[in-house]
Amino acid sequence: MQKLPKAIEFKDGSPILDMKQVCKSYQLGGSELKVLRDIDLTIKHGEYTAIMGPSGSGKSTLLNMIGCLDRPTNGNYLLGGQEVSSLDDDQLSTIRGAYIGFIFQSFNLIDQLNVIENIEIPMYYQGVSEQESFKRARELAVMVGLGERLEHKPSELSGGQQQRVAIARALVNDPLIILADEPTGNLDSASGNEILKILLDLHKQGKTLIVITHDDDIAKSAERVIRLFDGYIQKQEYN
Amino acid sequence: MFLFRLKRTIRLGIKSLWMHRLRSMLTVLGIIFGVSSVIAMLAIGEGASQDAQEKIARLGSRNIIIKTTKPPEDQSATGQRQMMKEYGLTYADAERFQDGIPNVRIIVPSRRFSQEAQYRNRRASIEIVGTVPWHPDISAMKVKFGRFIVSNDMQYKEGICVVDERVVKELFRFDEPIGQNIKLAGDYYRVVGVVTEQSNTNTSGNNFGNQSGEAPKAGGAKTGCVYIPITTVKGRFGEMSLQVSSGAGASIERVELQEIIVQVQQVEEVMPTRQNVQTMMTRFHKKNDFEIIVPLELMKQAKEIQRIFTIVLGSIAAISLIVGGIGIMNIMLATVSERTREIGIRRALGAKKRDIVVQFLSETLLLTFIGGICGIALGMVIPYFVSQFSQMKTVITLSSLILAFGISAIVGITFGLYPAYRAANMDPIESLRHE
Ligand SMILES: Nc1ncnc2c1ncn2[C@@H]1O[C@H](COP(=O)(O)OP(=O)(O)OP(=O)(O)O)[C@@H](O)[C@H]1O
Ligand SMILES: [Mg+2]
C-alpha cells in the first residue's frame, strides 16, 4: 500500500476534516468561474451531516473535494491531520481507497461485473487477498440484504438493490468517512427509505456520514445541515 | 503479491474481452493475419532458397562446368552461309585441362542431345548422355540397381545403357528394366543399370518443425536421361547434327562435346581453377562458343537473392502487422472512451493511474498474445497448403516464429500504451459524470 507522509489518525469527537478558506474555481474562456468560495468547515468524527442547496450551488464539488477526487484551488484542507493539497495523485488514490466510501446518485456500478465482483473492487486496489475479499464482499452483500443475488448483474437488479450494492461496496474497506451524493435521488420513496435506514444504522455504528440531499426527511435525520448557495455556506443548523 | 495481481488482472482482461467477443475477434484478426503472413512468407522464402541451394549443391560445389554454347552468327558471312558449322568443346580441351590445370581431381566430358526412346510400344523423349565410367563420382548420382558404365564398355563401344528413374517410370512402368533392350535412333541398347539422382546435401542447419512438402521431384523436372559410353555415342551417332535454322534452311553442325565437368580437390581451389579454365579456353576458342558455370558462385548468388527476398517479404508482412496494430489501437481507444465511466468509478474507489494503465495494457497484450498464438498456428498451416498445391518447398524456421511473435508483442505494447495512458490520465470527476 502506498505510504502516506503521515498516518491518518482520529479520535472520537476530534475533527476528522478541517477546511479553511477553501476555494474552487474553473477557468472558462478567460473568465474565472468561482464554484466554491471561502469554505470554512469542520466535521467531527462520527458526525452525520447533510448538505443542501439549489442545483449548481457547488454541493457535488464540495463533496468531491472532501473525498479527495478534487483539489482546492486555494485554501487548506486537512483530512485526519493530513494536508491534502500536498499529496500526489497516487497518495490521493490510496486515501480514496482506504479511508473514503463513495455512494452516488446513479449508483455507478460496473455493468459487466456481478454483485460480488462490484463489491470487491475497492479491496482489489488495496491488495486484499482473493479469498479474504470474497469472504468480506459476501458478508456485506448479506448485510445489505442481497445474500441471494451474489451472481446477479446490476442490470438484473432494481434501483434500490443497486444502491445497496453500492453501499456495500463503499463499506468494504471499512472507511473513515462515507460520502453520499443524493443517494436516494433516483429511487422511489420506499426504496429511498430503505437506503435511509441503512445509512442511519451506519451512523449508529459510529461512521462519519456526509450526505447531499434535496429531501427534507433525510435532512431531518441528520445531526447537522449545511446549506450552500452559489458556492458559499449560507447557513448551518444543528437538529 | 505481484503474481497474484497479475493473475487477477489477466482474468479481468479475459472477462472484459469476452464481454465484447465479436469486437475482440475482429481486432485480433489483424494480428492473426499479420503474424501468419510473416511466418508463411518467411517459410516460402526459406523453402525456395533451400530448394535452390539443393539444386545447386546437386551440381556439385567443387565442380566447374564448361558448356558448349552456339556462337553468335558470324556477321561477315551473311550472304553465303557456311554449310557446316564447327564449334564447341573438344576432346583436346579435356586433355588440356587434364594436363595443364593444377588441382584437377576428375574430368568428365560428355555428349548430350535429345532423342526418342522406345521400349516395346512405349515411347518417351529422353536425353542421351554419352559419358565416362567415373561420371557418378562428380555428381549426386547413385547406382540403384545393376551397374554403371565400366571401362570395358568404353573400350569395346558396347551397346549398353544406364537409365535413370524417370526413364524407368516412363518406359518400363512395372517391368524389370535390367536386361531389356531399348531402341534409340534405330539401334538397340541393353539396360545394365538404374541410377537415381538423390541429394544427401543438407544445405542449411536450423530447420525447425515441418519441412512440409519436401518435393522429391526437385531437380528432376527435366526429361529422363539415358547414359551411354561416350565412345559408343561417338561411333554410332557421330558428331554431326542437322540443324534446321530459321530463315535459310538447314545447316550441319559438328560439336565434339556438349559439356566438360572439372572437379577440384578442395572447395577453396574452385575460384582459382575457374580462372585457369577461363584463360585456357579463351586462348584456344576464338569464337565465343562456351560458357563456364560454377555452382559455388551460383550458391553465393542464390544466398544473396534469398536475403533480399527475405527482407522484402518480411517488410511487407511487418507492415501488415503494423496495420493490425493500428487496428488494435483504434479499437482500444474506442473501448477506453466507451468505458470512461468505469474508469472514473475505479479511480474513485482507489485505483491509481498505474492500475488503469495495467488494466488496459494487459487487455491489449492479451489480444496480441492470442492473435500471436493463432497467427503462429495459421502461419504453420498456410505453408503446408502452399506446398501441397504448388509443389513449392516451404521451411518454417524457429527464428521466423520468434520474430513474428516478437513483432506482435512489440506492436501490442506500442499501440496499447497510448490508449492505456489516455485512460489513466482522464480526470476522475469528468469520467464519473460521463454518460
Ligand atoms: N469541470 C468544470 N468546469 C466548469 N464548471 C464546472 C465544472 N464542474 C462543475 N462546474 C460548475 O460548478 C458548479 C457547481 O456544480 P456542482 O456539480 O457542484 O453543483 P451541485 O450543487 O452538485 O448541483 P446539483 O444539485 O444539480 O447536483 C456548476 O455551475 C457547474 O456548472
Ligand atoms: Mg451534484
Side-chain angles (χ1 to χ4, degrees):
Chain A
M1 195 166 113
Q2 184 79 24
K3 271 270 177 357
L4 296 173
K6 203 167 137 195
I8 289 185
E9 53 193 37
F10 60 92
K11 293 191 287 287
D12 254 13
S14 67
I16 195 163
L17 72 85
D18 191 6
M19 287 184 161
K20 285 203 175 69
Q21 300 288 300
V22 164
C23 299
K24 179 78 191 178
S25 52
Y26 291 102
Q27 293 296 332
L28 282 179
S31 68
E32 195 182 37
L33 176 69
K34 290 189 171 166
V35 179
L36 292 178
R37 308 167 198 243
D38 300 330
I39 302 283
D40 287 313
L41 178 63
T42 306
I43 290 178
K44 289 203 219 52
H45 179 66
E47 216 170 5
Y48 174 12
T49 310
I51 299 175
M52 296 188 82
S55 185
S57 57
K59 306 180 295 291
S60 297
T61 308
L62 179 60
L63 199 77
N64 288 338
M65 199 165 304
I66 293 171
C68 295
L69 272 170
D70 208 351
R71 269 190 270 219
T73 330
N74 260 313
N76 296 321
Y77 170 28
L78 290 174
L79 176 65
Q82 178 82 55
E83 177 57 56
V84 168
S85 50
S86 69
L87 299 179
D88 66 20
D89 193 85
D90 278 4
Q91 290 167 328
L92 291 181
S93 303
T94 304
I95 290 182
R96 290 198 295 270
Y99 301 111
I100 313 278
F102 283 100
I103 300 166
F104 304 92
Q105 177 175 0
S106 49
F107 323 133
N108 276 341
L109 301 177
I110 296 178
D111 298 333
Q112 293 95 311
L113 305 181
N114 65 26
V115 168
I116 279 281
E117 289 162 338
N118 264 292
I119 300 176
E120 280 182 314
I121 298 171
M123 292 188 282
Y124 175 74
Y125 293 115
Q126 297 302 311
V128 178
S129 82
E130 221 167 329
Q131 295 93 320
E132 176 68 28
S133 107
F134 183 80
K135 205 176 120 230
R136 178 128 179 82
R138 206 161 82 177
E139 280 169 19
L140 280 160
V142 171
M143 195 199 96
V144 297
L146 292 169
E148 309 290 305
R149 312 234 174 224
L150 301 182
E151 304 287 326
H152 287 231
K153 293 278 165 65
S155 56
E156 299 156 3
L157 300 175
S158 73
Q161 287 168 330
Q162 289 188 50
Q163 195 58 300
R164 281 187 268 157
V165 176
I167 292 175
R169 186 180 65 182
L171 293 174
V172 87
N173 278 338
D174 197 17
L176 283 183
I177 311 176
I178 291 170
L179 304 176
D181 194 343
E182 299 184 46
T184 59
N186 282 4
L187 301 175
D188 60 68
S189 61
S191 330
N193 285 337
E194 279 177 39
I195 298 299
L196 182 56
K197 227 180 96 224
I198 297 174
L199 291 178
L200 278 172
D201 280 348
L202 291 174
H203 171 52
K204 278 183 199 129
Q205 289 162 29
K207 293 272 180 222
T208 310
L209 199 58
I210 304 174
V211 181
I212 294 176
T213 188
H214 289 296
D215 184 339
D216 288 329
D217 287 345
I218 294 183
K220 264 177 223 151
S221 74
E223 298 169 307
R224 176 185 180 189
V225 180
I226 293 168
R227 289 187 189 274
L228 282 187
F229 184 79
D230 197 19
Y232 289 105
I233 294 183
Q234 194 188 30
K235 77 179 178 194
Q236 294 194 43
E237 49 205 89
Y238 290 85
N239 290 333
Chain B
M1 169 69 188
F2 174 74
L3 273 180
F4 133 85
R5 269 263 169 131
L6 188 72
K7 204 176 94 191
R8 287 174 79 176
T9 309
I10 290 172
R11 206 179 317 141
L12 191 73
I14 291 175
K15 195 163 191 162
S16 82
L17 293 178
W18 186 247
M19 287 300 303
H20 307 282
R21 262 154 295 193
L22 182 66
R23 178 196 288 183
S24 305
M25 216 179 67
L26 291 175
T27 313
V28 130
L29 275 183
I31 292 291
I32 293 180
F33 289 138
V35 168
S36 56
S37 64
V38 167
I39 293 173
M41 285 194 178
L42 291 180
I44 291 167
E46 179 68 23
S49 125
Q50 282 196 16
D51 210 26
Q53 298 285 321
E54 260 166 47
K55 275 180 192 159
I56 296 166
R58 208 170 289 137
L59 294 174
S61 54
R62 287 182 297 157
N63 292 355
I64 297 157
I65 302 165
I66 305 106
K67 278 196 153 138
T68 293
T69 57
K70 197 168 178 169
E73 268 329 315
D74 202 346
Q75 292 299 326
S76 62
T78 26
Q80 45 187 82
R81 202 173 273 276
Q82 299 152 279
M83 270 315 282
M84 168 123 125
K85 277 187 260 178
E86 207 179 327
Y87 63 90
L89 300 169
T90 59
Y91 289 100
D93 288 327
E95 271 160 37
R96 279 195 290 268
F97 294 155
Q98 183 82 69
D99 303 335
I101 295 180
N103 303 327
V104 170
R105 197 172 81 95
I106 308 178
I107 292 179
V108 174
S110 58
R111 295 237 11 223
R112 286 169 182 271
F113 49 89
S114 315
Q115 260 305 332
E116 196 179 52
Q118 189 186 346
Y119 168 69
R120 303 222 171 124
N121 57 350
R122 278 200 281 276
R123 291 161 189 276
S125 57
I126 51 99
E127 187 177 42
I128 289 182
V129 182
T131 188
V132 290
W134 51 92
H135 188 134
D137 295 351
I138 52 130
S139 69
M141 181 196 295
K142 287 225 163 52
V143 177
K144 202 172 168 197
F145 304 112
R147 61 175 177 83
F148 198 70
I149 300 163
V150 295
S151 48
N152 269 356
D153 300 331
M154 290 274 283
Q155 203 174 335
Y156 300 112
K157 301 181 184 168
E158 295 285 3
I160 56 106
C161 69
V162 175
V163 296
D164 70 9
E165 282 180 313
R166 183 165 270 257
V167 176
V168 173
K169 212 165 101 192
E170 284 177 4
L171 279 184
F172 297 101
R173 309 271 164 89
F174 304 109
D175 293 357
E176 166 65 44
I178 292 179
Q180 307 288 357
N181 288 308
I182 59 174
K183 192 173 163 192
L184 299 166
D187 274 330
Y188 284 93
Y189 296 79
R190 188 164 48 83
V191 178
V192 296
V194 176
V195 291
T196 167
E197 271 221 11
Q198 54 157 230
S199 62
N200 298 335
T201 41
N202 241 334
T203 32
S204 62
N206 64 334
N207 296 356
F208 172 78
N210 57 337
Q211 282 227 8
S212 31
E214 218 226 297
K217 294 183 209 82
K222 46 187 169 70
T223 51
C225 290
V226 174
Y227 300 90
I228 297 174
I230 194 164
T231 48
T232 315
V233 173
K234 195 178 174 187
R236 296 199 188 177
F237 290 90
E239 280 156 357
M240 314 288 187
S241 66
L242 189 70
Q243 294 289 318
V244 180
S245 57
S246 62
S251 66
I252 293 170
E253 292 184 351
R254 184 168 179 272
V255 177
E256 281 188 17
L257 293 171
Q258 266 73 29
E259 186 183 274
I260 300 175
I261 299 174
V262 173
Q263 186 172 72
V264 296
Q265 316 270 8
Q266 303 293 329
V267 176
E268 296 77 56
E269 293 157 6
V270 169
M271 294 321 284
T273 308
R274 178 206 195 286
Q275 205 49 52
N276 287 338
V277 168
Q278 176 91 45
T279 326
M280 186 169 282
M281 287 298 290
T282 35
R283 180 143 21 108
F284 291 93
H285 290 254
K286 298 296 170 226
K287 281 186 285 189
N288 191 12
D289 60 355
F290 67 94
E291 65 173 335
I292 300 177
I293 298 164
V294 183
L296 192 69
E297 228 169 29
L298 296 180
M299 219 180 279
K300 282 182 189 150
Q301 283 165 10
K303 277 200 179 124
E304 181 58 23
I305 289 168
Q306 144 81 1
R307 211 175 62 82
I308 294 165
F309 200 59
T310 306
I311 291 172
V312 171
L313 287 186
S315 358
I316 292 170
I319 288 168
S320 73
L321 256 180
I322 289 172
V323 171
I326 292 171
I328 284 204
M329 177 150 97
N330 192 11
I331 293 290
M332 286 315 289
L333 283 173
T335 305
V336 165
S337 79
E338 189 179 273
R339 286 160 69 183
T340 302
R341 200 183 176 82
E342 175 186 336
I343 294 162
I345 297 169
R346 289 182 181 277
R347 294 279 280 138
L349 299 179
K352 299 186 182 82
K353 286 183 176 178
R354 197 185 329 134
D355 295 318
I356 303 296
V357 168
V358 167
Q359 183 187 343
F360 283 93
L361 192 58
S362 64
E363 275 185 35
T364 316
L365 282 179
L366 266 172
L367 280 179
T368 46
F369 194 76
I370 294 167
I373 301 264
C374 298
I376 283 182
L378 188 63
M380 286 172 83
V381 172
I382 292 173
Y384 174 77
F385 284 105
V386 166
S387 46
Q388 282 294 304
F389 292 117
S390 72
Q391 313 296 349
M392 254 200 296
K393 179 172 169 169
T394 56
V395 178
I396 295 166
T397 60
L398 182 59
S399 57
S400 75
L401 297 189
I402 293 172
L403 181 78
F405 200 78
I407 293 177
S408 79
I410 292 170
V411 163
I413 293 174
T414 328
F415 292 98
L417 264 176
Y418 177 64
Y421 174 84
R422 273 265 292 254
N425 281 289
M426 289 195 296
D427 179 40
I429 301 172
E430 296 284 330
S431 321
L432 278 170
R433 210 179 289 152
H434 192 268
E435 272 315 311

